[in-house]
Amino acid sequence: MATVIRTPKDYRTNAAPWWCPGCGDFGVLRALQEAAAKLNLAPENVVLVAGIGCSGKIGDYFRSYSVHTVHGRTMPVAMGIKLANRDLTVIAAGGDGDGYGIGLNHFIHAVRRNIDITYIVMDNHIYGLTKGQFSPTSAQGFKTTSSPAGTADRPIKPLQLALSAGVTYLAQAFSSHPDHMAEIIAEAIQHKGFSLVNCISPCVTYNKVNTYDFYKERLVNLDEDPDYDPRNYDLAVETVRKYDELVIGRIYIDDSQPSYQDLLPGYAEEPLVKARLEYEPEHWQAILKEFA
Amino acid sequence: MSNELTWVVGGQQGEGIDTTGEILASALNRLGYYIYGYRTFGSRIKGGHTNYRIRIAQRPVYGIAPQIDVLIAFDQDSINRLAGEMAPGGVVVFNGKGGRGKLPPGVEGVRLIEVPMVDLARELGNPIMKNMVGVGVSAALLGLAPEDIEPIIDERFAGKGGKLVEANKTALRRGYDAALQALGEADGHLHLAPADGRRRYLMTGDEAAAFGALVAGCRLVAAYPITPASEIMHWLVKKLPQYGGVVVQSEDEIAAISTVIGAGYAGVRALTSTSGPGFSLMQEALGYAGMIEAPCVIVNVQRAGPSTGMPTKHEQSDLFEMVMGSHGDLPRIVLAPVTIEDCFYGAVDAFNLADRYQTPVILALDLALGLAKQTVEGIDFERVRIDRGAVALPDDLNWEGGDFKRYRFTDTGISPRSLPGMPGGLHLATGLEHDETGHITEDRGNRVRMMQKRLRKFTQVDGVEAVRYEGPEQPEVLLVGWGASYGALREAREILTERGVATGHAHIRLLAPFPAGPVAELLGRARHVIVAENNAQGQLAALMRQHIDSADKARLRTLNKYDGTLFLPAEIVEPVLAAVSPMAASAKEVG
Ligand SMILES: Cc1ncc(C[n+]2csc(CCOP(=O)(O)OP(=O)(O)O)c2C)c(N)n1
Ligand code: SF4
C-alpha cells in the first residue's frame, strides 16, 4: 500500500469556526493541523479532547476522533482514552479558564502522573465564551464585567506551576507565530510523557490588555537564545520567573522519566481495548474458591 | 443444640475485632453453616466501639437477627451497648483491661462469665492475640473443635512465618480450654447442631460486585476512596493487572467518572465506585455520558446522608438522586441488587446494559449490602454473557471520508458506535446538542428528534430481572422494598404467613427506567401495600406513586427507618399487623 502523505487540509472538518474574526484560536487550530500533517498522523488514530469555552470548540474543527467534554475535565477524559488504547495519539485542548480554573486540580495531577498526552492550553487571560470575566491567569487589578474595580485575585502562573508539579515537556507558543507553534506542538506530541504547550491566544473581543501588540513587545523567544538549555531545570525555573512567564519556545524537556501508564500495574503492550474479556467458567471457579 | 444463633464480638476499633469475626465466620462457613456477618463501626480508625455480628444458621439468612446468644466483650462499653439485645439464656464472656465486667441493671437471664483473654494473650507474648483467645472461647461455647479453626489460622498467617502460626494456635487452644473450664457443661444449649459441611462461599456485596465486574470484562477502574465503597477498588486492584486491566486512584470523583467515560468511549468496559458525596460530585459527568452515549458503570454504595451524614451507617436515601439526578432530561439505568449474591449478577447486567444502551448505568448498593458478609451457595458462571452492544462494522463506516453518523436516528434509538482507531468512524462526541454526525446544532427539529432518539432507547430495558416476587398469587399484604432490606422483608413475610396473613414480597431491582407494568400488576393483586425502606422520605414509595394509578396510590403505606441500622423482621411484622387489623383501617401511614 502506498504511503499516504497528509497535508493540513486533511485535518479540516466542514464546520466553519464560530470564533470572532482575529481570535487567537485560529492560529492554534492552524498550528495543530500543521503539526498533525508534519507527523503524518492518521486522523482515526488521533483523539482530540476539548474543553468548554470558545477554545473548546476546536474539537469541532479539527478532523480526528473528537471529544468535547464538560467544563474543566479534559485531563481525566483524555487519560481514560489513553489508558484504554495506548496506540492512540491523545491531545487535549482548552482555555485557561477550563484548564487552570475549574480544571486546575486535574491539570496538576495529569502533570504529576506524566501520562502520555499533550495538553494545549489556549491562554487568553479571560473567559471568552461567558462574555469577558477575568480568568485565573488575568493580572491582579484587571477590570472586567465581573471585576469592575479590578480583580483582587493574584494570577496563577501556569508555567511555574507545571515546573513545580514535575512536568517533563513544557513549552509556550504564540498564535501570531503558528509555524513556530506547529513545530513545538509536533515535538510535544512526540514526547513520551505529559507535555504542556501553553499557547498565548489573544481574545480580541474581551481582553483589551493582553493584545497581540502587548505580547509582541514583551515575548522573549528562548529558541533563539543559544545560551538557553531547556534540559536545565533550575535555569527553566529561573527564566520563567525572570521574564514573568513572557517567554516562548521550549522551556523544559526531560526525556528520562517513565510515563504513568508504563508504571501502572497491568498496563500491557497490547491496547486495553483488545484485552481478552471472556474466560471459561472453570477459570472463574478458581477465583470463587478464594471465598471459601 | 441450636439450629440458629447470633454471636457478637465487641471492643475498640483498631484492636482487631474484625479479625476475630472473620476467622470465626470462615471456620463456620467451611463447616457448612449459613452466615450473615455484619460489622458495626464508627467513623474513626482507632478507638470507639466496634462490633462484628455473625448470625449462624442451618438455612440461608439474609439479614441480622433480633437477639444475641453469645457476646464476647473486650470492654465494659461493649457490654453496656449490647447487653440489652441478649437472648434469654445467652452468655456474655468478659475480659477487658482490669476490673470485672458488669451486666447493666435490668438485664436478666443472661450469664456473665470471665475468661482472662487479655492475660492469656499477654502470657503468650502478644496481647493482640486476645482475639485468637476469643475465637477459642467462642469455639468452646458453640461446640466447635479447635481443629475446625486451625486451617484458617494456617492460611491467614501463612506469609508471616511458622512462629506466628504456632503462637496463634496456642492462643486458640488456651481460650478454648479456659472457656471449657469456666463454663462447665451447663451451656451445651448454645452448641450448634452439626452442619452439612458443603462447600459454600462467604463474600461481601462489594466483593461480589467487584468479582461480577471482572467476569463481565471490566478492565479499567478509576475511583476515589470512600466508605463503604473502597473495598470494590481494593479487590479489583488485586485482580485486574492479571487480565491486562488497570486501576487508577483518581484525584477526586469527578476525575474518576471522567476517566471511566473516556475509557468507555474508547471501547473499554470501565467502572467507578463511590458513595453519596462522591456520587453527587459525578452528576454533571453523568449527564455528559448520557449525551455522548458513552457506556459507563457507576457503583454507588449508599450510606447515611445528607452531606457526609453518617459515613459508616446504612441507609437507602440516594434513590431520588440516582433516578433523577443530573440536569436535563437524562435517561439512565439504575439497578439495585437484591442480595449479596445478586451484586455479582447485577454488576454483569450493568456492563451489558451500559454497552447495549450506550449510557451510564448506576449499580445501587447500600452499606449493608456492600459490607455485610453472606453465604453464597455458588455462582453460576454459565449465566454470564458478555454483550458489547452495537459497535459499527467496517461496512457501516465511511471509508470515503466525511462524517460517520455516530448518532444515527434508528427505530430503537440505539446507534452503532465507532471507536477511536477505526478508520471511517470519525465524529465529534459532544455534550452540546448535536446532529447525527455529532456536529453541534441548536436546530429545533433536530433537537426534538435527537431527544426522542435518546429517550427511545429506554422505553423498554429488557434482558434483566426487574422485580423479584416471592409469595402467594393473591396476597392480602404486599411488602415492597429494595436493596439490603430484602432479608428483613423476606423473614417478615415468613412470620406473617405463619400468623395467617397471606403475604407477598416484591423487591424492586430495576429502579430506572421504572418497571411500572410489572409493579402495577403486583400491586393490583394485594389488598394492602407496605413499602419499607431505610430513608425518611419514602423515596421508593414516591417513585412508585409517580408510576402507578390513583387507586393503587391510596392503598400504599410507608414504613421508614433511618437511624443508620437495618430493619429487624419484627419492625416490619408489627406495623403490618397493626395496619391490616380492621381497627386500623383508617390509618394512613405506618411508622
Ligand atoms: C460547570 C460549568 N460552569 C460554568 C460553565 C460556563 N462556562 C462556559 S465556558 C466558561 C469559561 C471558559 O473560559 P476559558 O476556558 O478561558 O475559554 P475561552 O472561552 O476564553 O476560550 C464558563 C465559565 C460551564 N459550561 N460549566
Ligand atoms: S470571544 Fe474572544 S476568545 Fe471567544 S472567539 Fe471571540 S475573540 Fe476568541
Side-chain angles (χ1 to χ4, degrees), chain B residues 525-549:
Chain B
R525 297 194 212 162
R527 245 166 47 103
H528 302 275
V529 180
I530 315 266
V531 186
E533 50 186 325
N534 293 123
N535 59 55
Q537 288 180 294
Q539 299 191 13
L540 176 63
L543 187 66
M544 288 169 66
R545 287 196 184 99
Q546 190 188 328
H547 291 278
I548 59 183
D549 60 40

mmCIF file of all heavy atoms in Angstrom, chain B residues 525-549:
data_model
loop_
_atom_site.group_PDB
_atom_site.id
_atom_site.type_symbol
_atom_site.label_atom_id
_atom_site.label_comp_id
_atom_site.label_asym_id
_atom_site.label_seq_id
_atom_site.Cartn_x
_atom_site.Cartn_y
_atom_site.Cartn_z
ATOM 1 N N ARG B 525 -52.805 -7.125 42.859
ATOM 2 C CA ARG B 525 -53.209 -8.403 43.452
ATOM 3 C C ARG B 525 -53.454 -8.308 44.960
ATOM 4 O O ARG B 525 -54.083 -9.173 45.541
ATOM 5 C CB ARG B 525 -52.093 -9.430 43.260
ATOM 6 C CG ARG B 525 -51.780 -9.759 41.830
ATOM 7 C CD ARG B 525 -50.926 -11.007 41.849
ATOM 8 N NE ARG B 525 -49.967 -11.049 40.757
ATOM 9 C CZ ARG B 525 -48.915 -11.838 40.756
ATOM 10 N NH1 ARG B 525 -48.651 -12.594 41.805
ATOM 11 N NH2 ARG B 525 -48.112 -11.869 39.731
ATOM 12 N N ALA B 526 -52.894 -7.292 45.614
ATOM 13 C CA ALA B 526 -52.912 -7.267 47.086
ATOM 14 C C ALA B 526 -53.890 -6.232 47.617
ATOM 15 O O ALA B 526 -54.208 -5.252 46.948
ATOM 16 C CB ALA B 526 -51.517 -6.960 47.603
ATOM 17 N N ARG B 527 -54.353 -6.493 48.856
ATOM 18 C CA ARG B 527 -55.267 -5.537 49.481
ATOM 19 C C ARG B 527 -54.498 -4.406 50.160
ATOM 20 O O ARG B 527 -54.898 -3.257 50.144
ATOM 21 C CB ARG B 527 -56.138 -6.263 50.517
ATOM 22 C CG ARG B 527 -57.611 -6.262 50.111
ATOM 23 C CD ARG B 527 -58.455 -7.228 50.896
ATOM 24 N NE ARG B 527 -58.252 -7.197 52.330
ATOM 25 C CZ ARG B 527 -59.080 -6.616 53.185
ATOM 26 N NH1 ARG B 527 -60.127 -5.958 52.751
ATOM 27 N NH2 ARG B 527 -58.858 -6.691 54.468
ATOM 28 N N HIS B 528 -53.381 -4.780 50.790
ATOM 29 C CA HIS B 528 -52.566 -3.782 51.490
ATOM 30 C C HIS B 528 -51.174 -3.768 50.886
ATOM 31 O O HIS B 528 -50.611 -4.823 50.613
ATOM 32 C CB HIS B 528 -52.427 -4.129 52.976
ATOM 33 C CG HIS B 528 -53.734 -4.246 53.686
ATOM 34 N ND1 HIS B 528 -54.393 -3.162 54.219
ATOM 35 C CD2 HIS B 528 -54.518 -5.324 53.942
ATOM 36 C CE1 HIS B 528 -55.511 -3.564 54.780
ATOM 37 N NE2 HIS B 528 -55.619 -4.882 54.624
ATOM 38 N N VAL B 529 -50.658 -2.588 50.697
ATOM 39 C CA VAL B 529 -49.297 -2.484 50.167
ATOM 40 C C VAL B 529 -48.454 -1.689 51.155
ATOM 41 O O VAL B 529 -48.822 -0.574 51.535
ATOM 42 C CB VAL B 529 -49.280 -1.778 48.792
ATOM 43 C CG1 VAL B 529 -47.852 -1.676 48.264
ATOM 44 C CG2 VAL B 529 -50.192 -2.503 47.807
ATOM 45 N N ILE B 530 -47.368 -2.287 51.599
ATOM 46 C CA ILE B 530 -46.486 -1.606 52.543
ATOM 47 C C ILE B 530 -45.102 -1.495 51.921
ATOM 48 O O ILE B 530 -44.481 -2.502 51.586
ATOM 49 C CB ILE B 530 -46.360 -2.398 53.859
ATOM 50 C CG1 ILE B 530 -47.710 -2.894 54.337
ATOM 51 C CG2 ILE B 530 -45.563 -1.592 54.900
ATOM 52 C CD1 ILE B 530 -48.465 -2.085 55.299
ATOM 53 N N VAL B 531 -44.626 -0.266 51.775
ATOM 54 C CA VAL B 531 -43.297 -0.043 51.205
ATOM 55 C C VAL B 531 -42.337 0.270 52.354
ATOM 56 O O VAL B 531 -42.504 1.265 53.043
ATOM 57 C CB VAL B 531 -43.301 1.119 50.193
ATOM 58 C CG1 VAL B 531 -41.944 1.222 49.506
ATOM 59 C CG2 VAL B 531 -44.412 0.930 49.165
ATOM 60 N N ALA B 532 -41.367 -0.625 52.539
ATOM 61 C CA ALA B 532 -40.429 -0.455 53.656
ATOM 62 C C ALA B 532 -39.056 -0.107 53.112
ATOM 63 O O ALA B 532 -38.533 -0.802 52.245
ATOM 64 C CB ALA B 532 -40.355 -1.746 54.470
ATOM 65 N N GLU B 533 -38.483 0.970 53.619
ATOM 66 C CA GLU B 533 -37.153 1.345 53.136
ATOM 67 C C GLU B 533 -36.420 2.157 54.190
ATOM 68 O O GLU B 533 -37.022 2.748 55.073
ATOM 69 C CB GLU B 533 -37.232 2.098 51.802
ATOM 70 C CG GLU B 533 -38.227 3.236 51.807
ATOM 71 C CD GLU B 533 -38.402 3.885 50.439
ATOM 72 O OE1 GLU B 533 -37.425 3.969 49.687
ATOM 73 O OE2 GLU B 533 -39.533 4.326 50.139
ATOM 74 N N ASN B 534 -35.087 2.185 54.055
ATOM 75 C CA ASN B 534 -34.251 2.870 55.026
ATOM 76 C C ASN B 534 -33.966 4.300 54.598
ATOM 77 O O ASN B 534 -32.839 4.659 54.253
ATOM 78 C CB ASN B 534 -32.944 2.095 55.248
ATOM 79 C CG ASN B 534 -33.194 0.760 55.927
ATOM 80 O OD1 ASN B 534 -32.834 -0.284 55.407
ATOM 81 N ND2 ASN B 534 -33.825 0.786 57.081
ATOM 82 N N ASN B 535 -35.011 5.109 54.606
ATOM 83 C CA ASN B 535 -34.837 6.542 54.405
ATOM 84 C C ASN B 535 -36.046 7.230 54.997
ATOM 85 O O ASN B 535 -37.052 6.573 55.303
ATOM 86 C CB ASN B 535 -34.648 6.886 52.917
ATOM 87 C CG ASN B 535 -35.812 6.443 52.070
ATOM 88 O OD1 ASN B 535 -36.959 6.797 52.332
ATOM 89 N ND2 ASN B 535 -35.537 5.649 51.043
ATOM 90 N N ALA B 536 -35.948 8.530 55.179
ATOM 91 C CA ALA B 536 -37.001 9.245 55.904
ATOM 92 C C ALA B 536 -38.152 9.685 55.010
ATOM 93 O O ALA B 536 -39.277 9.847 55.455
ATOM 94 C CB ALA B 536 -36.406 10.461 56.608
ATOM 95 N N GLN B 537 -37.848 9.861 53.729
ATOM 96 C CA GLN B 537 -38.866 10.464 52.869
ATOM 97 C C GLN B 537 -39.718 9.459 52.108
ATOM 98 O O GLN B 537 -40.636 9.850 51.405
ATOM 99 C CB GLN B 537 -38.192 11.403 51.863
ATOM 100 C CG GLN B 537 -37.679 12.675 52.482
ATOM 101 C CD GLN B 537 -37.020 13.550 51.433
ATOM 102 O OE1 GLN B 537 -35.987 13.190 50.875
ATOM 103 N NE2 GLN B 537 -37.625 14.665 51.143
ATOM 104 N N GLY B 538 -39.384 8.202 52.210
ATOM 105 C CA GLY B 538 -40.128 7.214 51.441
ATOM 106 C C GLY B 538 -39.854 7.383 49.958
ATOM 107 O O GLY B 538 -40.758 7.599 49.148
ATOM 108 N N GLN B 539 -38.589 7.296 49.605
ATOM 109 C CA GLN B 539 -38.215 7.620 48.228
ATOM 110 C C GLN B 539 -38.728 6.587 47.216
ATOM 111 O O GLN B 539 -39.187 6.960 46.138
ATOM 112 C CB GLN B 539 -36.698 7.782 48.131
ATOM 113 C CG GLN B 539 -36.198 8.917 49.030
ATOM 114 C CD GLN B 539 -34.738 9.291 48.777
ATOM 115 O OE1 GLN B 539 -34.142 8.891 47.795
ATOM 116 N NE2 GLN B 539 -34.170 10.079 49.664
ATOM 117 N N LEU B 540 -38.653 5.315 47.576
ATOM 118 C CA LEU B 540 -39.186 4.303 46.646
ATOM 119 C C LEU B 540 -40.702 4.457 46.525
ATOM 120 O O LEU B 540 -41.264 4.374 45.428
ATOM 121 C CB LEU B 540 -38.838 2.880 47.118
ATOM 122 C CG LEU B 540 -39.442 1.763 46.265
ATOM 123 C CD1 LEU B 540 -38.896 1.803 44.837
ATOM 124 C CD2 LEU B 540 -39.182 0.391 46.881
ATOM 125 N N ALA B 541 -41.341 4.701 47.667
ATOM 126 C CA ALA B 541 -42.799 4.879 47.651
ATOM 127 C C ALA B 541 -43.160 6.047 46.731
ATOM 128 O O ALA B 541 -44.103 5.964 45.940
ATOM 129 C CB ALA B 541 -43.306 5.108 49.060
ATOM 130 N N ALA B 542 -42.387 7.116 46.818
ATOM 131 C CA ALA B 542 -42.656 8.288 45.977
ATOM 132 C C ALA B 542 -42.479 7.927 44.500
ATOM 133 O O ALA B 542 -43.279 8.331 43.646
ATOM 134 C CB ALA B 542 -41.732 9.437 46.361
ATOM 135 N N LEU B 543 -41.450 7.153 44.226
ATOM 136 C CA LEU B 543 -41.198 6.743 42.848
ATOM 137 C C LEU B 543 -42.350 5.871 42.339
ATOM 138 O O LEU B 543 -42.797 5.999 41.203
ATOM 139 C CB LEU B 543 -39.875 5.974 42.787
ATOM 140 C CG LEU B 543 -39.355 5.613 41.405
ATOM 141 C CD1 LEU B 543 -38.977 6.866 40.626
ATOM 142 C CD2 LEU B 543 -38.138 4.693 41.520
ATOM 143 N N MET B 544 -42.836 4.998 43.199
ATOM 144 C CA MET B 544 -43.960 4.145 42.808
ATOM 145 C C MET B 544 -45.201 4.984 42.533
ATOM 146 O O MET B 544 -45.898 4.782 41.544
ATOM 147 C CB MET B 544 -44.245 3.110 43.898
ATOM 148 C CG MET B 544 -43.183 2.024 43.969
ATOM 149 S SD MET B 544 -43.338 0.996 45.443
ATOM 150 C CE MET B 544 -44.893 0.172 45.133
ATOM 151 N N ARG B 545 -45.456 5.938 43.443
ATOM 152 C CA ARG B 545 -46.639 6.789 43.261
ATOM 153 C C ARG B 545 -46.585 7.514 41.926
ATOM 154 O O ARG B 545 -47.610 7.753 41.287
ATOM 155 C CB ARG B 545 -46.730 7.817 44.389
ATOM 156 C CG ARG B 545 -47.155 7.224 45.705
ATOM 157 C CD ARG B 545 -47.617 8.315 46.679
ATOM 158 N NE ARG B 545 -47.926 7.737 47.971
ATOM 159 C CZ ARG B 545 -47.090 7.744 49.012
ATOM 160 N NH1 ARG B 545 -45.914 8.323 48.919
ATOM 161 N NH2 ARG B 545 -47.440 7.190 50.142
ATOM 162 N N GLN B 546 -45.371 7.852 41.525
ATOM 163 C CA GLN B 546 -45.212 8.557 40.258
ATOM 164 C C GLN B 546 -45.641 7.676 39.080
ATOM 165 O O GLN B 546 -46.041 8.164 38.040
ATOM 166 C CB GLN B 546 -43.737 8.948 40.130
ATOM 167 C CG GLN B 546 -43.412 9.885 38.995
ATOM 168 C CD GLN B 546 -41.896 10.036 38.842
ATOM 169 O OE1 GLN B 546 -41.143 9.965 39.806
ATOM 170 N NE2 GLN B 546 -41.454 10.245 37.627
ATOM 171 N N HIS B 547 -45.547 6.371 39.264
ATOM 172 C CA HIS B 547 -45.757 5.468 38.129
ATOM 173 C C HIS B 547 -47.014 4.617 38.219
ATOM 174 O O HIS B 547 -47.265 3.803 37.339
ATOM 175 C CB HIS B 547 -44.549 4.537 37.984
ATOM 176 C CG HIS B 547 -43.309 5.254 37.537
ATOM 177 N ND1 HIS B 547 -43.062 5.552 36.219
ATOM 178 C CD2 HIS B 547 -42.257 5.741 38.241
ATOM 179 C CE1 HIS B 547 -41.902 6.182 36.130
ATOM 180 N NE2 HIS B 547 -41.395 6.324 37.337
ATOM 181 N N ILE B 548 -47.781 4.740 39.304
ATOM 182 C CA ILE B 548 -48.968 3.895 39.422
ATOM 183 C C ILE B 548 -50.218 4.756 39.472
ATOM 184 O O ILE B 548 -50.141 5.955 39.703
ATOM 185 C CB ILE B 548 -48.897 2.986 40.673
ATOM 186 C CG1 ILE B 548 -48.777 3.820 41.950
ATOM 187 C CG2 ILE B 548 -47.748 1.995 40.538
ATOM 188 C CD1 ILE B 548 -48.637 3.005 43.213
ATOM 189 N N ASP B 549 -51.381 4.136 39.263
ATOM 190 C CA ASP B 549 -52.579 4.967 39.206
ATOM 191 C C ASP B 549 -53.194 5.184 40.586
ATOM 192 O O ASP B 549 -52.771 4.599 41.580
ATOM 193 C CB ASP B 549 -53.586 4.421 38.197
ATOM 194 C CG ASP B 549 -54.025 3.025 38.554
ATOM 195 O OD1 ASP B 549 -54.230 2.757 39.763
ATOM 196 O OD2 ASP B 549 -54.136 2.192 37.647
#
